[in-house]
Amino acid sequence: MVQEQLIPRGINDREVLSAFLKVPRHRFIPFEFINSAYADHPLPIGEEQTISQPYIVALMTQCLELKKGDKVLEIGTGSGYQTAILAELNCSVYSIERFPSLARRAKNILAELGYEVQAVDSGKGGIPTYSGLFNRVKIKVGDGTKGWPEFSPYAKIIVTAAAPSLPPSLFEQLKEGGVMVIPLGNKFSQMLTLVRKIEGKVKSENICGCRFVSLVGEEGWRG
Ligand code: SAH
């Protein structure tokens, strides 16, 4: 995967590549698709959602220009694979998932793999509280379009579902000088967009065309 899919397409950040060598992607994939775990395409993870293609996960990670200790807000925990990559890069990760079943599964796999993970009870019948040792990863069930104000501001924000426009709450919770990557467009195709907060204003750059599942919530798609 790293040799054939990531390096030839321009993923050259050594730390990012080494995180991809360390995180066992197959552990995040439903058993019936295990033989395709490292293949060059997305795969179903249940609830009609998908784990992104390895290259897209790598590209988004590289675009975040992560530094050790960065506080990262992730919207769309999904399988938890991207979460593990961020934790492997020594970031503290705050991740929000809409579906309790996916959040629970992601939390269990991350904990099994030894990441310090805590499920935060959102009080809405979410996942039970689980305390790891250092709580490097926090996961909660909820509408990620509103962000997680309690721990803001974030140095980096990664949105792994497609939004019709930049959710104002997320931009507000981004630190000055911070970076957000988010797919923006319609339900069928989007532009992966890099957004920086410079003097409180949006500065955005297009990265490439992409196709993600929808970001469903108050500041995303309504259903
Ligand atoms: N990063 C994930 C990709 C999962 S797909 C991975 O590596 O597996 C996108 C995820 O975003 C889905 O699990 C979907 O349920 C979730 N999602 C969509 N809208 C959301 C919202 N408003 N808040 C939180 N999660 C959301």
Side-chain angles (χ1 to χ4, degrees):
M1 175 183 80
V2 168
Q3 296 284 0
E4 292 172 13
Q5 300 169 37
L6 307 192
I7 296 172
R9 293 182 193 150
I11 306 300
N12 50 20
D13 183 315
R14 287 183 171 270
E15 311 260 314
V16 172
L17 292 170
S18 109
F20 275 80
L21 289 171
K22 282 193 209 138
V23 178
R25 182 171 162 98
H26 59 277
R27 296 294 303 278
F28 296 86
I29 306 281
F31 190 68
E32 64 258 54
F33 303 112
I34 204 104
N35 290 332
S36 316
Y38 295 86
D40 195 13
H41 52 74
L43 288 167
I45 54 170
E47 308 283 5
E48 299 182 355
Q49 307 302 316
T50 53
I51 176 172
S52 303
Q53 174 193 11
Y55 169 64
I56 289 290
V57 181
L59 180 63
M60 292 177 89
T61 309
Q62 182 163 279
C63 285
L64 285 176
E65 303 163 7
L66 295 164
K67 288 187 209 67
K68 197 175 169 174
D70 268 353
K71 208 153 103 179
V72 183
L73 176 65
E74 177 189 38
I75 310 304
T77 317
S79 66
Y81 179 63
Q82 173 82 71
T83 320
I85 297 281
L86 295 169
E88 201 56 62
L89 287 161
N90 294 303
C91 298
S92 50
V93 192
Y94 298 79
S95 188
I96 310 178
E97 170 54 50
R98 217 180 126 219
F99 288 104
S101 60
L102 296 181
R104 189 179 300 114
R105 199 162 66 203
K107 187 268 283 177
N108 288 339
I109 296 163
L110 289 164
E112 269 173 39
L113 292 176
Y115 295 100
E116 298 129 12
V117 59
Q118 181 188 31
V120 178
D121 197 339
S122 49
K124 291 184 198 154
I127 30 186
T129 303
Y130 170 92
S131 290
L133 284 177
F134 303 103
N135 307 330
R136 182 168 309 145
V137 178
K138 287 194 201 304
I139 298 179
K140 77 165 179 175
V141 175
D143 177 6
T145 66
K146 310 289 289 171
W148 198 338
E150 197 181 340
F151 299 103
S152 73
Y154 301 94
K156 311 286 157 70
I157 299 181
I158 176 167
V159 183
T160 63
S165 56
L166 188 62
S169 298
L170 295 185
F171 188 67
E172 197 184 303
Q173 291 169 34
L174 183 65
K175 202 167 140 181
E176 171 62 29
V179 180
M180 170 165 19
V181 276
I182 178 167
L184 295 174
N186 60 38
K187 289 200 172 175
F188 308 101
S189 80
Q190 306 92 31
M191 179 57 73
L192 190 60
T193 311
L194 191 113
V195 173
R196 290 177 198 278
K197 190 178 215 170
I198 314 268
E199 292 170 4
K201 298 206 177 65
V202 176
K203 290 270 179 302
S204 65
E205 276 167 58
N206 293 343
I207 304 169
C208 62
C210 58
R211 185 174 177 160
F212 278 79
V213 296
S214 298
L215 180 74
V216 179
E218 212 173 298
E219 296 180 31
W221 295 99
R222 304 290 190 111

